[in-house]
Amino acid sequence: MMSTSIPHRAGIYLALVQLLFTLGWTVYAIFLPRLAAEVGIPRTAVIFILMLDQAIFTITDVAMGVAADRVSNLVGRLGYWVAAITALSCIAFLALPFVAGIGSSAQPWFLGLTVLWAVTSSALRAPPLMLLGKYAARPAIPYLSSLAMLGFGLAGAAAPYLTVTLRNLDPRLPFALSSMALLLTVLGLASVERALARQAVASPAPVSQAAGKRDSITGSSLLFVIAMVVLGLGYQLHFAINSAPLFLRFAKPADLDLLMPVFWIGFNIAMFPASLLTRRWGGVVVMGGAGLIGAAAVLAAGAAAGLDMLIAAQFVAGAAWGCILMSAVTAALTISENGHQGRLVGLMFSALALATFARMAAVASGFQTDPSYTPLFQWAPTFCWSAAGAALLYLSLRRMRAWAAAY
């Protein structure tokens, strides 16, 4: 019989994929203003390029998820498919700083490569994760989701340090290193896929009817996606817009590099114990509970009377977001019909991209700096997390009661 450590190694592998992909996005965001300026694009227009990227993700994430469901019918095919698309993505990414060096005449090529990179990079979001839902035993999915999302959290924690370290470097070097590391890693996906398939055959795990009912409490994918948009918007507004000003009430700008990762420390630590709750109660229940806890933490951060209290509130808020994202991946993998895991995971990532687009649109429109909108930005994260959390818990409780009454 095959060792049960194989699924855990698969989770670690997926964490590495998410880590390298997210670090690549960070490198892209750090150097984009400089590269855009080299091809004659003003700095004020960079936000619109980033918004275009998120708009593309909103469409291609779900499209890649649907395609992954179809491609994965033959074991090993998904790994080769993702690797081929990733190779094209890495070529486009690697070429960006070289094309930018040509000057303003290369502006159309630069924008075309940006679009190509955004479209093809979606292959690294939903398709690899859907393998967990397709092959891993249901009780193992929450823990494996935590491992996979650990890469995302580690990249978030490293982002401030990368910004400081890389900002003065020649962009060709970090772009090349990011591309090569990601491509070499993704080349192993087919082997991971086959190992998961062998493990599923060697150690089939029966799924109880109770577990299936508990994980299907959303009733429809649409409700799940709406909740993810609202929760994602709450995260975007709190972390990307409000967190730095909150810290600057008590700290100096130079301290932000040390303070901003507190959110991601909470994110990375909380996912693993929360995976036990997700295994017992299902992803949607944990999403709802974490949403309410996160809303309370965001509220406490806004009311913090000192730096220590603010750090604690940020840690809890990050922990809540980690629980939300981990349980959301679990829910997407377990509530979808057999053979459609990629579709719902893709919808989840599309929802997060839409929330990111909305936050960028608010920044581009100037609402962020308009004093009349300050109360809106202060209260919106709390409202988003509490409303979505309460709605998910209510729907969960109602479905559980209906299931209990049926038996």
Side-chain angles (χ1 to χ4, degrees):
M1 180 176 294
M2 189 130 330
S3 171
T4 57
S5 64
I6 288 180
H8 291 196
R9 291 201 295 269
I12 295 172
Y13 172 83
L14 293 176
L16 181 59
V17 171
Q18 294 301 316
L19 172 64
L20 293 175
F21 170 73
T22 309
L23 288 178
W25 166 262
T26 303
V27 169
Y28 169 76
I30 290 171
F31 288 106
L32 182 60
R34 189 199 305 184
L35 298 179
E38 291 181 11
V39 295
I41 299 175
R43 182 174 293 268
T44 54
V46 169
I47 186 65
F48 297 105
I49 298 177
L50 294 172
M51 288 172 61
L52 175 63
D53 293 335
Q54 296 302 321
I56 291 171
F57 288 152
T58 301
I59 298 171
T60 56
D61 279 347
V62 64
M64 289 290 183
V66 172
D69 286 332
R70 297 176 179 175
V71 170
S72 65
N73 291 331
L74 182 63
V75 174
R77 181 187 294 173
L78 179 65
Y80 294 123
W81 176 74
V82 171
I85 297 178
T86 301
L88 182 59
S89 178
C90 289
I91 291 172
F93 188 75
L94 176 63
L96 281 172
F98 292 93
V99 171
I102 298 175
S104 57
S105 61
Q107 185 179 118
W109 290 100
F110 179 81
L111 293 174
L113 286 171
T114 300
V115 171
L116 178 61
W117 171 75
V119 170
T120 52
S121 62
S122 284
L124 292 172
R125 287 153 74 93
L129 287 176
M130 63 85 63
L131 292 176
L132 298 180
K134 186 175 181 66
Y135 295 116
R138 183 179 289 254
I141 289 178
Y143 178 70
L144 295 176
S145 298
S146 298
L147 282 175
M149 289 297 99
L150 180 63
F152 181 76
L154 290 175
Y161 305 108
L162 282 179
T163 301
V164 173
T165 304
L166 300 180
R167 63 173 52 149
N168 295 322
L169 292 180
D170 184 334
R172 290 175 294 184
L173 178 61
F175 271 72
L177 292 177
S178 298
S179 301
M180 288 169 32
L182 182 59
L183 180 57
L184 290 174
T185 301
V186 173
L187 289 177
L189 183 60
S191 297
V192 172
E193 181 183 1
R194 286 192 293 268
L196 281 170
R198 289 194 299 267
Q199 175 69 18
V201 172
S203 304
V207 179
S208 68
Q209 292 300 317
K213 291 291 183 180
R214 191 176 296 124
D215 275 332
S216 62
I217 52 178
T218 51
S220 85
S221 300
L222 179 61
L223 294 176
F224 172 79
V225 173
I226 292 174
M228 282 309 303
V229 172
V230 177
L231 290 168
L233 184 60
Y235 153 71
Q236 288 290 334
L237 294 177
H238 171 67
F239 182 75
I241 292 182
N242 292 346
S243 288
L246 287 173
F247 278 124
L248 289 175
R249 293 185 301 164
F250 310 109
K252 299 177 181 178
D255 296 329
L256 288 179
D257 294 339
L258 297 175
L259 294 172
M260 293 296 282
V262 168
F263 182 93
W264 295 107
I265 294 173
F267 179 100
N268 292 323
I269 291 177
M271 285 190 297
F272 294 98
S275 68
L276 299 176
L277 298 177
T278 304
R279 177 175 177 174
R280 174 66 179 86
W281 296 105
V284 178
V285 174
V286 175
M287 285 177 66
L292 294 182
I293 293 172
V298 170
L299 194 62
L307 183 59
D308 291 342
M309 182 177 177
L310 178 56
I311 289 174
Q314 280 290 91
F315 180 89
V316 176
W321 180 238
C323 295
I324 289 170
L325 203 56
M326 174 275 299
S327 55
V329 172
T330 302
L333 292 172
T334 55
I335 68 178
S336 55
E337 298 177 0
N338 186 35
H340 296 286
Q341 293 90 348
R343 177 184 61 185
L344 197 51
V345 176
L347 283 168
M348 184 199 78
F349 279 113
S350 291
L352 294 175
L354 182 60
T356 306
F357 178 89
R359 185 260 299 174
M360 290 180 175
V363 173
S365 64
F367 291 157
Q368 179 188 6
T369 56
D370 190 335
S372 61
Y373 289 98
T374 299
L376 174 64
F377 283 106
Q378 289 176 342
W379 288 99
T382 301
F383 173 78
C384 288
W385 278 8
S386 60
L392 288 171
L393 286 179
Y394 171 75
L395 291 171
S396 302
L397 180 61
R398 190 172 70 175
R399 292 299 181 89
M400 285 182 176
R401 286 178 175 175
W403 173 75
Y407 288 87

